[in-house]
Amino acid sequence: MQAQPEASHFVDGRYLEDAAGAVMESRYPATDAVIARLHAATPAVIEAALAAAARAQADWAAWKPVERGRVLLRAAALLRERNAELAELETLDTGKPISETLVADAASGADCLEFFGGLAAALTGEAIPLGAGDFAYTLREPLGVCVGIGAWNYPIQIACWKAAPALACGNAMVFKPSELTPLTALRLAAVLVEAGAPPGVFSVVQGAGDVGAALVADARVAKVSLTGSVETGRKVYAAAAAGLKPATMELGGKSPLIVFDDADLEDAVGGAMLGNFYSAGQVCSNGTRVFVQKGIRARFLARLAARTRAIRLGDPLDADTQMGPLISAGQRDRVLGYIDGALAEGARLLTGGRAWGNAGWFVEPTVFDGVTDAMKVAREEVFGPVMSVLGFSEEDEVVARANATPFGLAAGVFTRDIARAHRVVARLQAGTCWINSYNLTPVEMPFGGVKASGFGRENGRAAVEAWSRLKAVHVGMGPVDAPF
Ligand code: NDP
């Protein structure tokens, strides 16, 4: 397949090139082959995108909401029609296996466009009676020109999760993908125009952190939404704060997944594997601290080891492959560094632990048992296929240990005791929780973190709050009672 896009950027309704920008190479992580050469956005490209967004936004906001929604619904249908092609492109750009990208990337992006396309015409304010005939009402208004900045693990999904609610609410967006995965957001931009979005309503500009920083700092920008690491989140939030701009921060995590003695064994093992090995472990909400109660621990470890050893690594374009490489050599080395660190701190390697294959950035799915709360592998986000199993005895103990982290993105509980499931979830400091499931993120459900994992919610009706504001209007129906 031809991965090279027509041009590096998509601005004001068309592909745009500026060869003066620094060269960016996109590489297939399974072989390190260069699949596309692009240029980072120059100040002229950034200006063109922001000027087009500012110009387009007022007109877009004045469209009938049902017509804005129709554009998103058409875009959803186009993504679905082209899912196979988009999946292949996402696999080349990220190294994620085609068995995942066919179901989890453009497909979930289409769900999101559909959800917010349907919601667009149902966004209303409220009437507030005040007595004696007086009343107030609220108007839900768009924010204006918004900036979205994405991470490299779910490129088109992240672009859709930001663009769909932003556009449904009447905003325009300039989106910057990760420099490691620049390709599929361009396709989304082209699809939106094909679906009828006016030029400039959704533009994509490429580049590294400096391009993101330039967008965030621009006075025309009313809102910033970042998916990325905590470290980047601090910088972007500070820059947004300098301009008093609202921000949504979808950041990293070190989420707990708690398995009680009475859990269904196969479901709990399956949940832990989904929560650690999908996308080669490069998922922000992964349950990387797996707390297993002492009565089920031996059986859990035996099944976990057997099922983990059976995971098929290989060519991500092969439909039978279950796990691909990590995104880059640097990420592979980082993950191997955490594995070495865990061994040095005395964790017991149950399976995996090494780089895999002759090419690309593969790491074996790795499970450590006997991990303690103090070990680095249990405290820091690894962002790779490394699961830490920790033992526990009592409910109170495990809740306290699960919460003893600066992060708070997600958490999971496996138990057949319905009262305990809800009691424990209520005590966990996390923005998104799963009971007897893990890492499912249907668009209907709000997603986001607490503590250092960020704030604001994507998806669900809750996302409307992130992309609109309320204007309150008081209406006096009687004489004005002035004390002067
Ligand atoms: P980074 O934080 O490195 O980068 C995220 C994005 O921010 C990239 O596009 C990056 O550009 C950009 N960026 C970097 N510096 C700045 C800056 N100063 N101003 C504006 N933009 C900037 O994250 P990764 O791409 O490495 O992604 C992995 C991280 O993302 C993990 O921590 C993971 O947990 C988190 N994540 C969170 C999710 C969530 O929903 N909570 C979902 C997915 C991932 P570039 O990299 O191109 O230089």
Side-chain angles (χ1 to χ4, degrees), residues 153-183:
N153 56 346
Y154 282 84
I156 198 168
Q157 186 196 71
I158 292 171
C160 288
W161 281 21
K162 298 192 190 303
L167 267 53
C169 290
N171 303 287
M173 173 170 280
V174 179
F175 184 79
K176 189 200 86 67
S178 163
E179 65 187 302
L180 296 175
T181 54
L183 302 180

PDB file of all heavy atoms in Angstrom, residues 153-183:
ATOM      1  N   ASN A 153      -0.289   6.066  20.146  1.00  0.00           N
ATOM      2  CA  ASN A 153      -0.790   4.688  20.272  1.00  0.00           C
ATOM      3  C   ASN A 153      -2.118   4.446  19.544  1.00  0.00           C
ATOM      4  O   ASN A 153      -2.352   3.347  19.050  1.00  0.00           O
ATOM      5  CB  ASN A 153      -0.879   4.284  21.745  1.00  0.00           C
ATOM      6  CG  ASN A 153      -1.717   5.223  22.560  1.00  0.00           C
ATOM      7  OD1 ASN A 153      -2.036   6.329  22.127  1.00  0.00           O
ATOM      8  ND2 ASN A 153      -2.086   4.791  23.752  1.00  0.00           N
ATOM      9  N   TYR A 154      -2.985   5.460  19.483  1.00  0.00           N
ATOM     10  CA  TYR A 154      -4.275   5.325  18.789  1.00  0.00           C
ATOM     11  C   TYR A 154      -4.508   6.561  17.916  1.00  0.00           C
ATOM     12  O   TYR A 154      -5.400   7.370  18.195  1.00  0.00           O
ATOM     13  CB  TYR A 154      -5.404   5.143  19.809  1.00  0.00           C
ATOM     14  CG  TYR A 154      -5.463   3.723  20.345  1.00  0.00           C
ATOM     15  CD1 TYR A 154      -4.665   3.316  21.391  1.00  0.00           C
ATOM     16  CD2 TYR A 154      -6.281   2.780  19.721  1.00  0.00           C
ATOM     17  CE1 TYR A 154      -4.671   1.995  21.832  1.00  0.00           C
ATOM     18  CE2 TYR A 154      -6.304   1.467  20.151  1.00  0.00           C
ATOM     19  CZ  TYR A 154      -5.502   1.083  21.204  1.00  0.00           C
ATOM     20  OH  TYR A 154      -5.521  -0.213  21.625  1.00  0.00           O
ATOM     21  N   PRO A 155      -3.726   6.708  16.851  1.00  0.00           N
ATOM     22  CA  PRO A 155      -3.717   8.005  16.135  1.00  0.00           C
ATOM     23  C   PRO A 155      -5.072   8.445  15.585  1.00  0.00           C
ATOM     24  O   PRO A 155      -5.500   9.572  15.845  1.00  0.00           O
ATOM     25  CB  PRO A 155      -2.716   7.761  15.001  1.00  0.00           C
ATOM     26  CG  PRO A 155      -1.850   6.638  15.472  1.00  0.00           C
ATOM     27  CD  PRO A 155      -2.706   5.776  16.346  1.00  0.00           C
ATOM     28  N   ILE A 156      -5.758   7.590  14.835  1.00  0.00           N
ATOM     29  CA  ILE A 156      -7.023   8.078  14.248  1.00  0.00           C
ATOM     30  C   ILE A 156      -8.125   8.090  15.295  1.00  0.00           C
ATOM     31  O   ILE A 156      -9.013   8.939  15.278  1.00  0.00           O
ATOM     32  CB  ILE A 156      -7.440   7.279  12.989  1.00  0.00           C
ATOM     33  CG1 ILE A 156      -8.477   8.090  12.186  1.00  0.00           C
ATOM     34  CG2 ILE A 156      -7.972   5.883  13.327  1.00  0.00           C
ATOM     35  CD1 ILE A 156      -8.761   7.569  10.800  1.00  0.00           C
ATOM     36  N   GLN A 157      -8.057   7.174  16.249  1.00  0.00           N
ATOM     37  CA  GLN A 157      -9.065   7.172  17.311  1.00  0.00           C
ATOM     38  C   GLN A 157      -8.977   8.456  18.135  1.00  0.00           C
ATOM     39  O   GLN A 157      -9.995   9.092  18.430  1.00  0.00           O
ATOM     40  CB  GLN A 157      -8.881   5.953  18.226  1.00  0.00           C
ATOM     41  CG  GLN A 157      -9.975   5.832  19.256  1.00  0.00           C
ATOM     42  CD  GLN A 157      -9.595   4.876  20.379  1.00  0.00           C
ATOM     43  OE1 GLN A 157      -8.743   5.160  21.207  1.00  0.00           O
ATOM     44  NE2 GLN A 157     -10.224   3.716  20.376  1.00  0.00           N
ATOM     45  N   ILE A 158      -7.776   8.826  18.504  1.00  0.00           N
ATOM     46  CA  ILE A 158      -7.607  10.052  19.303  1.00  0.00           C
ATOM     47  C   ILE A 158      -8.094  11.264  18.507  1.00  0.00           C
ATOM     48  O   ILE A 158      -8.786  12.147  19.034  1.00  0.00           O
ATOM     49  CB  ILE A 158      -6.131  10.227  19.747  1.00  0.00           C
ATOM     50  CG1 ILE A 158      -5.744   9.141  20.764  1.00  0.00           C
ATOM     51  CG2 ILE A 158      -5.896  11.618  20.322  1.00  0.00           C
ATOM     52  CD1 ILE A 158      -4.256   9.095  21.104  1.00  0.00           C
ATOM     53  N   ALA A 159      -7.752  11.302  17.211  1.00  0.00           N
ATOM     54  CA  ALA A 159      -8.199  12.430  16.373  1.00  0.00           C
ATOM     55  C   ALA A 159      -9.727  12.494  16.349  1.00  0.00           C
ATOM     56  O   ALA A 159     -10.318  13.575  16.442  1.00  0.00           O
ATOM     57  CB  ALA A 159      -7.632  12.288  14.966  1.00  0.00           C
ATOM     58  N   CYS A 160     -10.379  11.336  16.241  1.00  0.00           N
ATOM     59  CA  CYS A 160     -11.859  11.322  16.220  1.00  0.00           C
ATOM     60  C   CYS A 160     -12.433  11.676  17.584  1.00  0.00           C
ATOM     61  O   CYS A 160     -13.442  12.396  17.659  1.00  0.00           O
ATOM     62  CB  CYS A 160     -12.366   9.933  15.802  1.00  0.00           C
ATOM     63  SG  CYS A 160     -12.109   9.575  14.057  1.00  0.00           S
ATOM     64  N   TRP A 161     -11.841  11.162  18.648  1.00  0.00           N
ATOM     65  CA  TRP A 161     -12.356  11.435  19.990  1.00  0.00           C
ATOM     66  C   TRP A 161     -12.330  12.940  20.284  1.00  0.00           C
ATOM     67  O   TRP A 161     -13.108  13.445  21.085  1.00  0.00           O
ATOM     68  CB  TRP A 161     -11.553  10.681  21.061  1.00  0.00           C
ATOM     69  CG  TRP A 161     -11.914   9.238  21.191  1.00  0.00           C
ATOM     70  CD1 TRP A 161     -12.539   8.455  20.273  1.00  0.00           C
ATOM     71  CD2 TRP A 161     -11.655   8.381  22.322  1.00  0.00           C
ATOM     72  NE1 TRP A 161     -12.685   7.181  20.764  1.00  0.00           N
ATOM     73  CE2 TRP A 161     -12.152   7.101  21.995  1.00  0.00           C
ATOM     74  CE3 TRP A 161     -11.031   8.580  23.563  1.00  0.00           C
ATOM     75  CZ2 TRP A 161     -12.071   6.017  22.883  1.00  0.00           C
ATOM     76  CZ3 TRP A 161     -10.941   7.510  24.447  1.00  0.00           C
ATOM     77  CH2 TRP A 161     -11.463   6.240  24.106  1.00  0.00           C
ATOM     78  N   LYS A 162     -11.407  13.661  19.663  1.00  0.00           N
ATOM     79  CA  LYS A 162     -11.356  15.113  19.884  1.00  0.00           C
ATOM     80  C   LYS A 162     -12.198  15.849  18.839  1.00  0.00           C
ATOM     81  O   LYS A 162     -12.958  16.758  19.161  1.00  0.00           O
ATOM     82  CB  LYS A 162      -9.900  15.585  19.864  1.00  0.00           C
ATOM     83  CG  LYS A 162      -9.072  14.937  20.991  1.00  0.00           C
ATOM     84  CD  LYS A 162      -7.738  15.584  21.170  1.00  0.00           C
ATOM     85  CE  LYS A 162      -6.836  14.792  22.114  1.00  0.00           C
ATOM     86  NZ  LYS A 162      -7.392  14.550  23.453  1.00  0.00           N
ATOM     87  N   ALA A 163     -12.043  15.446  17.556  1.00  0.00           N
ATOM     88  CA  ALA A 163     -12.716  16.203  16.486  1.00  0.00           C
ATOM     89  C   ALA A 163     -14.236  16.064  16.564  1.00  0.00           C
ATOM     90  O   ALA A 163     -14.962  17.043  16.377  1.00  0.00           O
ATOM     91  CB  ALA A 163     -12.216  15.721  15.123  1.00  0.00           C
ATOM     92  N   ALA A 164     -14.737  14.852  16.805  1.00  0.00           N
ATOM     93  CA  ALA A 164     -16.184  14.633  16.691  1.00  0.00           C
ATOM     94  C   ALA A 164     -16.975  15.495  17.683  1.00  0.00           C
ATOM     95  O   ALA A 164     -17.879  16.242  17.259  1.00  0.00           O
ATOM     96  CB  ALA A 164     -16.512  13.153  16.854  1.00  0.00           C
ATOM     97  N   PRO A 165     -16.665  15.473  18.980  1.00  0.00           N
ATOM     98  CA  PRO A 165     -17.451  16.328  19.877  1.00  0.00           C
ATOM     99  C   PRO A 165     -17.174  17.812  19.654  1.00  0.00           C
ATOM    100  O   PRO A 165     -18.082  18.640  19.786  1.00  0.00           O
ATOM    101  CB  PRO A 165     -17.010  15.886  21.283  1.00  0.00           C
ATOM    102  CG  PRO A 165     -15.682  15.222  21.094  1.00  0.00           C
ATOM    103  CD  PRO A 165     -15.712  14.632  19.713  1.00  0.00           C
ATOM    104  N   ALA A 166     -15.921  18.141  19.295  1.00  0.00           N
ATOM    105  CA  ALA A 166     -15.590  19.557  19.072  1.00  0.00           C
ATOM    106  C   ALA A 166     -16.422  20.099  17.913  1.00  0.00           C
ATOM    107  O   ALA A 166     -17.038  21.166  18.015  1.00  0.00           O
ATOM    108  CB  ALA A 166     -14.097  19.711  18.776  1.00  0.00           C
ATOM    109  N   LEU A 167     -16.465  19.365  16.815  1.00  0.00           N
ATOM    110  CA  LEU A 167     -17.195  19.840  15.634  1.00  0.00           C
ATOM    111  C   LEU A 167     -18.706  19.794  15.876  1.00  0.00           C
ATOM    112  O   LEU A 167     -19.444  20.686  15.433  1.00  0.00           O
ATOM    113  CB  LEU A 167     -16.815  19.010  14.405  1.00  0.00           C
ATOM    114  CG  LEU A 167     -15.661  19.558  13.547  1.00  0.00           C
ATOM    115  CD1 LEU A 167     -14.416  19.857  14.343  1.00  0.00           C
ATOM    116  CD2 LEU A 167     -15.340  18.624  12.380  1.00  0.00           C
ATOM    117  N   ALA A 168     -19.184  18.777  16.586  1.00  0.00           N
ATOM    118  CA  ALA A 168     -20.620  18.705  16.872  1.00  0.00           C
ATOM    119  C   ALA A 168     -21.078  19.946  17.627  1.00  0.00           C
ATOM    120  O   ALA A 168     -22.193  20.437  17.427  1.00  0.00           O
ATOM    121  CB  ALA A 168     -20.935  17.446  17.681  1.00  0.00           C
ATOM    122  N   CYS A 169     -20.212  20.456  18.497  1.00  0.00           N
ATOM    123  CA  CYS A 169     -20.573  21.628  19.302  1.00  0.00           C
ATOM    124  C   CYS A 169     -20.387  22.947  18.541  1.00  0.00           C
ATOM    125  O   CYS A 169     -20.643  24.017  19.098  1.00  0.00           O
ATOM    126  CB  CYS A 169     -19.744  21.664  20.586  1.00  0.00           C
ATOM    127  SG  CYS A 169     -20.170  20.369  21.760  1.00  0.00           S
ATOM    128  N   GLY A 170     -19.887  22.877  17.298  1.00  0.00           N
ATOM    129  CA  GLY A 170     -19.756  24.102  16.504  1.00  0.00           C
ATOM    130  C   GLY A 170     -18.379  24.746  16.542  1.00  0.00           C
ATOM    131  O   GLY A 170     -18.212  25.890  16.128  1.00  0.00           O
ATOM    132  N   ASN A 171     -17.379  24.007  17.043  1.00  0.00           N
ATOM    133  CA  ASN A 171     -16.014  24.527  17.055  1.00  0.00           C
ATOM    134  C   ASN A 171     -15.291  24.167  15.762  1.00  0.00           C
ATOM    135  O   ASN A 171     -15.721  23.276  15.019  1.00  0.00           O
ATOM    136  CB  ASN A 171     -15.228  23.904  18.213  1.00  0.00           C
ATOM    137  CG  ASN A 171     -15.871  24.147  19.543  1.00  0.00           C
ATOM    138  OD1 ASN A 171     -15.836  25.269  20.054  1.00  0.00           O
ATOM    139  ND2 ASN A 171     -16.491  23.113  20.114  1.00  0.00           N
ATOM    140  N   ALA A 172     -14.144  24.815  15.530  1.00  0.00           N
ATOM    141  CA  ALA A 172     -13.196  24.362  14.514  1.00  0.00           C
ATOM    142  C   ALA A 172     -11.975  23.814  15.257  1.00  0.00           C
ATOM    143  O   ALA A 172     -11.726  24.198  16.408  1.00  0.00           O
ATOM    144  CB  ALA A 172     -12.784  25.513  13.611  1.00  0.00           C
ATOM    145  N   MET A 173     -11.240  22.910  14.620  1.00  0.00           N
ATOM    146  CA  MET A 173     -10.093  22.306  15.299  1.00  0.00           C
ATOM    147  C   MET A 173      -8.865  22.250  14.411  1.00  0.00           C
ATOM    148  O   MET A 173      -8.950  21.912  13.230  1.00  0.00           O
ATOM    149  CB  MET A 173     -10.444  20.884  15.773  1.00  0.00           C
ATOM    150  CG  MET A 173      -9.233  20.146  16.328  1.00  0.00           C
ATOM    151  SD  MET A 173      -9.687  18.611  17.141  1.00  0.00           S
ATOM    152  CE  MET A 173     -10.216  19.261  18.718  1.00  0.00           C
ATOM    153  N   VAL A 174      -7.723  22.578  15.016  1.00  0.00           N
ATOM    154  CA  VAL A 174      -6.430  22.281  14.387  1.00  0.00           C
ATOM    155  C   VAL A 174      -5.822  21.155  15.214  1.00  0.00           C
ATOM    156  O   VAL A 174      -5.670  21.280  16.433  1.00  0.00           O
ATOM    157  CB  VAL A 174      -5.500  23.515  14.378  1.00  0.00           C
ATOM    158  CG1 VAL A 174      -4.160  23.146  13.742  1.00  0.00           C
ATOM    159  CG2 VAL A 174      -6.159  24.669  13.623  1.00  0.00           C
ATOM    160  N   PHE A 175      -5.516  20.051  14.527  1.00  0.00           N
ATOM    161  CA  PHE A 175      -5.040  18.854  15.226  1.00  0.00           C
ATOM    162  C   PHE A 175      -3.590  18.573  14.851  1.00  0.00           C
ATOM    163  O   PHE A 175      -3.236  18.606  13.681  1.00  0.00           O
ATOM    164  CB  PHE A 175      -5.909  17.647  14.834  1.00  0.00           C
ATOM    165  CG  PHE A 175      -5.564  16.383  15.575  1.00  0.00           C
ATOM    166  CD1 PHE A 175      -5.999  16.182  16.874  1.00  0.00           C
ATOM    167  CD2 PHE A 175      -4.776  15.406  14.974  1.00  0.00           C
ATOM    168  CE1 PHE A 175      -5.670  15.018  17.574  1.00  0.00           C
ATOM    169  CE2 PHE A 175      -4.443  14.242  15.656  1.00  0.00           C
ATOM    170  CZ  PHE A 175      -4.892  14.054  16.958  1.00  0.00           C
ATOM    171  N   LYS A 176      -2.790  18.269  15.882  1.00  0.00           N
ATOM    172  CA  LYS A 176      -1.410  17.833  15.630  1.00  0.00           C
ATOM    173  C   LYS A 176      -1.228  16.401  16.108  1.00  0.00           C
ATOM    174  O   LYS A 176      -1.278  16.120  17.299  1.00  0.00           O
ATOM    175  CB  LYS A 176      -0.396  18.720  16.365  1.00  0.00           C
ATOM    176  CG  LYS A 176       1.035  18.395  15.931  1.00  0.00           C
ATOM    177  CD  LYS A 176       2.089  18.852  16.902  1.00  0.00           C
ATOM    178  CE  LYS A 176       2.380  17.864  18.004  1.00  0.00           C
ATOM    179  NZ  LYS A 176       3.005  16.611  17.585  1.00  0.00           N
ATOM    180  N   PRO A 177      -1.017  15.471  15.181  1.00  0.00           N
ATOM    181  CA  PRO A 177      -0.754  14.091  15.605  1.00  0.00           C
ATOM    182  C   PRO A 177       0.652  13.987  16.184  1.00  0.00           C
ATOM    183  O   PRO A 177       1.467  14.895  16.027  1.00  0.00           O
ATOM    184  CB  PRO A 177      -0.825  13.295  14.287  1.00  0.00           C
ATOM    185  CG  PRO A 177      -1.146  14.255  13.195  1.00  0.00           C
ATOM    186  CD  PRO A 177      -0.959  15.644  13.729  1.00  0.00           C
ATOM    187  N   SER A 178       0.944  12.860  16.806  1.00  0.00           N
ATOM    188  CA  SER A 178       2.325  12.584  17.221  1.00  0.00           C
ATOM    189  C   SER A 178       3.201  12.537  15.986  1.00  0.00           C
ATOM    190  O   SER A 178       2.797  12.033  14.935  1.00  0.00           O
ATOM    191  CB  SER A 178       2.380  11.239  17.945  1.00  0.00           C
ATOM    192  OG  SER A 178       3.725  10.779  17.990  1.00  0.00           O
ATOM    193  N   GLU A 179       4.417  13.040  16.111  1.00  0.00           N
ATOM    194  CA  GLU A 179       5.322  13.005  14.946  1.00  0.00           C
ATOM    195  C   GLU A 179       5.641  11.565  14.536  1.00  0.00           C
ATOM    196  O   GLU A 179       6.060  11.307  13.408  1.00  0.00           O
ATOM    197  CB  GLU A 179       6.614  13.760  15.263  1.00  0.00           C
ATOM    198  CG  GLU A 179       7.430  13.110  16.363  1.00  0.00           C
ATOM    199  CD  GLU A 179       8.627  13.953  16.794  1.00  0.00           C
ATOM    200  OE1 GLU A 179       9.448  14.261  15.934  1.00  0.00           O
ATOM    201  OE2 GLU A 179       8.712  14.292  17.990  1.00  0.00           O
ATOM    202  N   LEU A 180       5.427  10.611  15.437  1.00  0.00           N
ATOM    203  CA  LEU A 180       5.710   9.202  15.105  1.00  0.00           C
ATOM    204  C   LEU A 180       4.596   8.571  14.274  1.00  0.00           C
ATOM    205  O   LEU A 180       4.813   7.556  13.616  1.00  0.00           O
ATOM    206  CB  LEU A 180       5.911   8.390  16.392  1.00  0.00           C
ATOM    207  CG  LEU A 180       7.113   8.787  17.243  1.00  0.00           C
ATOM    208  CD1 LEU A 180       7.133   8.003  18.550  1.00  0.00           C
ATOM    209  CD2 LEU A 180       8.414   8.574  16.479  1.00  0.00           C
ATOM    210  N   THR A 181       3.406   9.135  14.336  1.00  0.00           N
ATOM    211  CA  THR A 181       2.254   8.531  13.641  1.00  0.00           C
ATOM    212  C   THR A 181       1.416   9.610  12.946  1.00  0.00           C
ATOM    213  O   THR A 181       0.296   9.903  13.358  1.00  0.00           O
ATOM    214  CB  THR A 181       1.367   7.755  14.638  1.00  0.00           C
ATOM    215  OG1 THR A 181       1.016   8.655  15.710  1.00  0.00           O
ATOM    216  CG2 THR A 181       2.061   6.550  15.202  1.00  0.00           C
ATOM    217  N   PRO A 182       1.972  10.184  11.875  1.00  0.00           N
ATOM    218  CA  PRO A 182       1.309  11.358  11.277  1.00  0.00           C
ATOM    219  C   PRO A 182       0.229  11.040  10.242  1.00  0.00           C
ATOM    220  O   PRO A 182      -0.440  11.955   9.772  1.00  0.00           O
ATOM    221  CB  PRO A 182       2.485  12.066  10.576  1.00  0.00           C
ATOM    222  CG  PRO A 182       3.441  10.968  10.216  1.00  0.00           C
ATOM    223  CD  PRO A 182       3.294   9.900  11.284  1.00  0.00           C
ATOM    224  N   LEU A 183       0.039   9.770   9.853  1.00  0.00           N
ATOM    225  CA  LEU A 183      -0.642   9.494   8.588  1.00  0.00           C
ATOM    226  C   LEU A 183      -2.165   9.491   8.639  1.00  0.00           C
ATOM    227  O   LEU A 183      -2.815  10.054   7.764  1.00  0.00           O
ATOM    228  CB  LEU A 183      -0.129   8.168   8.007  1.00  0.00           C
ATOM    229  CG  LEU A 183       1.399   8.154   7.759  1.00  0.00           C
ATOM    230  CD1 LEU A 183       1.829   6.829   7.180  1.00  0.00           C
ATOM    231  CD2 LEU A 183       1.818   9.307   6.855  1.00  0.00           C
TER     232      LEU A 183
END
